[in-house]
């Protein structure tokens, strides 16, 4: 299998963390493939018409995307404990993954606004709205973190989301007023899967 990714992508990191946890990382050829909203990679677009990463190309040439689909596929190959649980726990895990991914969507849109959009065209109120979504998601996680299981797709997604905030938004101070998430992340970030996938700027 070949994973097309960017070293700084939090969605790609989510896939890589799951691959490590599932014991599948040695079966994946991890390939850097640049992609941006203004300049999609021809290699990526050949497999994902949206031109977005990550994309997982299987041995038969089939491509899977986005990170949610790839993670569930890899989890299905795992011989160990599943990160996508059964029953009611599944819906809880998927909902937390959706919340973490929504946080990341807002963070990436803010990043694009600050870095890619020409300064005269930037919309301060729109950026403030995205930052508000990030803070709201973090506040909800602050109330959820004590009841989260040690490891599932929801915890992996949250860890990759706040790791991205550390990388791209150190000025946000996301830990302030959120001691529960801060303590949880300090512990979770020590997992070998997280240490092996620290994003590069």
């Amino acid at each position: 299998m070949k994973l097309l990714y960017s070293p700084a992508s939090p969605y790609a990191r989510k896939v890589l963390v799951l691959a490590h946890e599932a014991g599948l990382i040695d079966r994946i050829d991890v390939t850097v493939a640049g992609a941006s909203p203004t300049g999609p990679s021809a290699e990526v677009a050949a497999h994902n018409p949206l031109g977005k990463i990550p994309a997982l190309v299987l041995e038969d040439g089939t491509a899977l995307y986005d990170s949610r689909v790839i993670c569930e596929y890899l989890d299905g190959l795992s011989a160990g404990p599943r990160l996508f649980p059964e029953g009611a726990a599944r819906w809880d895990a998927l909902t937390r993954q959706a919340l973490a991914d929504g946080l990341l969507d807002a963070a990436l849109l803010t990043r694009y606004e600050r870095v890619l959009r020409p300064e005269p065209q930037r919309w301060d109120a729109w950026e403030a709205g995205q930052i508000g979504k990030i803070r709201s998601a973090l506040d909800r996680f602050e109330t959820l973190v004590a009841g989260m299981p040690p490891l599932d797709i929801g915890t992996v997604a949250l860890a990759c989301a706040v790791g991205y905030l550390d990388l791209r938004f150190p000025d946000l101070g996301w830990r302030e007023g959120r001691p529960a998430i801060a303590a949880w992340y300090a512990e979770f970030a020590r997992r070998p899967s997280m240490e092996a996938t620290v994003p590069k700027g």
Side-chain angles (χ1 to χ4, degrees), residues 13-185:
R13 187 184 190 192
K14 183 173 65 167
V15 170
L16 292 172
V17 169
L18 188 141
H20 278 278
E21 295 287 352
L24 299 170
I25 194 66
D26 292 338
R27 294 175 55 183
I28 300 173
D29 174 16
V30 180
T31 303
V32 175
S36 81
T38 58
S41 158
E43 181 182 15
V44 174
H47 297 289
N48 178 354
L50 299 174
K52 297 171 70 175
I53 52 163
L56 182 69
V57 184
L58 307 183
E59 285 87 345
D60 66 359
T62 301
L64 301 179
Y65 45 84
D66 58 8
S67 66
R68 293 165 292 191
V69 176
I70 298 170
C71 283
E72 190 152 7
Y73 176 79
L74 293 177
D75 191 61
L77 299 180
S78 174
R82 296 297 176 87
L83 273 68
F84 286 79
E86 300 287 336
R90 172 180 174 81
W91 305 116
D92 175 58
L94 291 178
T95 300
R96 283 183 284 108
Q97 176 184 215
L99 182 59
D101 283 356
L103 184 163
L104 276 178
D105 290 344
L108 284 166
L109 288 172
T110 302
R111 171 79 177 166
Y112 296 154
E113 183 76 8
R114 292 179 178 181
V115 175
L116 296 179
R117 189 179 298 278
E119 189 169 356
Q121 299 175 16
R122 292 176 192 167
W123 187 7
D124 292 341
W126 187 88
E127 179 181 320
Q130 302 306 316
I131 295 296
K133 293 178 183 180
I134 295 170
R135 295 188 187 281
S136 180
L138 289 168
D139 290 342
R140 176 60 59 88
F141 273 121
E142 181 70 8
T143 71
L144 298 175
V145 70
M148 293 193 311
L151 179 68
D152 67 8
I153 190 59
T155 60
V156 170
L158 173 58
C160 293
V162 295
Y164 184 75
L165 295 181
D166 280 346
L167 176 69
R168 296 299 195 203
F169 298 89
D171 58 315
L172 189 62
W174 68 263
R175 292 171 177 81
E176 295 174 12
R178 302 182 186 95
I181 306 180
W184 172 83
Y185 181 64

